[in-house]
Amino acid sequence: MKKVDMLTPIGILIGISMVVFGVISSGGMSGFLAFIDVPSILIVLGGVFGTLCVSFPLKQLKNMGRVGKQAFQSKEINVEEIVGTFVHLSEKARREGLLSLEAELEQIDDSFVKKGILLAIDGVEPEMIRELLETEVAAVEERHARGRSMFEKAGDYAPAWGMIGTLVGLVLMLKSLNTPSSLGPNMAIALLTTFYGALLSNLFFQPIAAKLAGKTEHELFVKEVIIEGVIGLQAGQNSRFVQAKLKVFAPVEKRKLEEKREHVREA
């Protein structure tokens, strides 16, 4: 089940708040209004969008919003539950055979787990199971990398377009030195585009790309746990062996806590 990942909007809000606080504390509301310049915003956002259109096909760009949405969502994947599931399945498979696991598939939501178990039930060799599942893992990694690359590129392009806007503002300013009334607006464009480009890159595009990379890494880690569990099922490994093998994937803190509980039970 997906929930809202509150750290993403909170982090963005904190960053914006610090900038607003710094501006208002030094220049008041008039200073804050001085940092709002529509031409500068359009140069950066329009420039970034234009370069993304050049860099990526339309089909991929259409998914940018859906990909970015993942950074604001948190999908609960409990490694301990996965370990427990495979321990239960291995016990049943040793008692009743692999075919008995078909009845358990309806209670499993993860399609990757279902696919692995079906391969094991069908008697596919462990090496072939590993190859098939790892191929799917590689495809997932590649698909996520393509989606993430749009935000990575946007993070690279935003500061560059900020500098382009700065050059535009400087050229306009130098051309209008004889008209003092236009110096202020041109100087605003020259400075604020760099500000907007750096802000968008470092507070939005690059952090979202990093969050997406972290989520992909965790998802791939979980799939590796599943692969090892499926191989254990196919090999008919003892449930205690399966549990011991999969426990190494659990977080260190969880393992230490479980070891303490085992010592208490033994005592």
Side-chain angles (χ1 to χ4, degrees):
M1 180 180 179
K2 291 184 178 181
K3 297 182 179 180
V4 177
D5 186 347
M6 294 303 299
L7 281 179
T8 302
I10 288 174
I12 293 175
L13 183 61
I14 289 174
I16 293 175
S17 299
M18 292 301 99
V19 172
V20 172
F21 172 76
V23 172
I24 292 180
S25 63
S26 300
M29 282 303 299
S30 60
F32 174 75
L33 294 176
F35 275 77
I36 299 176
D37 186 77
V38 176
S40 298
I41 295 174
L42 292 178
I43 287 174
V44 176
L45 289 180
V48 169
F49 179 72
T51 47
L52 288 178
C53 289
V54 175
S55 302
F56 299 96
L58 179 61
K59 184 177 180 180
Q60 190 170 346
L61 281 176
K62 286 181 178 180
N63 293 325
M64 190 172 182
R66 181 181 60 79
V67 172
K69 186 179 178 181
Q70 302 301 315
F72 296 84
Q73 294 179 336
S74 178
K75 184 179 180 181
E76 294 183 356
I77 306 178
N78 193 316
V79 176
E80 292 76 26
E81 288 184 4
I82 293 175
V83 173
T85 297
F86 278 103
V87 169
H88 166 69
L89 293 175
S90 64
E91 289 174 348
K92 184 168 184 176
R94 283 177 66 85
R95 287 195 315 265
E96 306 173 25
L98 283 173
L99 290 176
S100 67
L101 300 183
E102 285 186 324
E104 300 285 335
L105 293 178
E106 295 181 358
Q107 303 176 15
I108 298 174
D109 297 326
D110 194 307
S111 60
F112 191 73
V113 175
K114 284 185 176 180
K115 182 176 181 178
I117 294 174
L118 284 172
L119 289 172
I121 292 173
D122 291 340
V124 180
E125 292 297 321
E127 295 79 8
M128 184 62 69
I129 292 176
R130 184 181 295 276
E131 182 178 347
L132 289 171
L133 295 182
E134 287 185 347
T135 299
E136 183 170 337
V137 169
V140 170
E141 185 176 13
E142 175 63 23
R143 186 172 65 252
H144 287 194
R146 286 201 305 270
R148 187 172 66 248
S149 66
M150 291 184 288
F151 288 90
E152 291 172 341
K153 289 298 184 182
D156 293 337
Y157 294 146
W161 276 99
M163 290 302 300
I164 291 173
T166 296
L167 293 175
V168 170
L170 289 175
V171 169
L172 293 174
M173 185 180 67
L174 292 174
K175 280 192 171 185
S176 59
L177 288 177
N178 294 328
T179 53
S181 61
S182 63
L183 290 179
N186 292 334
M187 178 63 77
I189 293 176
L191 297 179
L192 288 178
T193 48
T194 297
F195 170 75
Y196 289 140
L199 189 65
L200 284 172
S201 176
N202 293 286
L203 187 58
F204 188 72
F205 294 128
Q206 294 288 8
I208 284 182
K211 176 61 73 72
L212 292 173
K215 289 179 179 293
T216 297
E217 183 179 346
H218 180 64
E219 182 177 343
L220 297 181
F221 168 76
V222 171
K223 290 186 183 301
E224 287 297 329
V225 177
I226 294 170
I227 291 174
E228 293 301 325
V230 171
I231 297 300
L233 281 179
Q234 167 64 349
Q237 293 172 350
N238 182 279
S239 60
R240 286 185 174 273
F241 180 79
V242 172
Q243 184 177 28
K245 183 174 69 171
L246 297 185
K247 274 175 63 177
V248 301
F249 292 99
V252 176
E253 296 79 6
K254 294 281 187 181
R255 277 187 280 161
K256 288 182 178 179
L257 180 60
E258 186 63 28
E259 288 173 1
K260 288 181 179 179
R261 289 174 178 171
E262 290 179 0
H263 289 320
V264 171
R265 286 196 293 267
E266 292 174 358

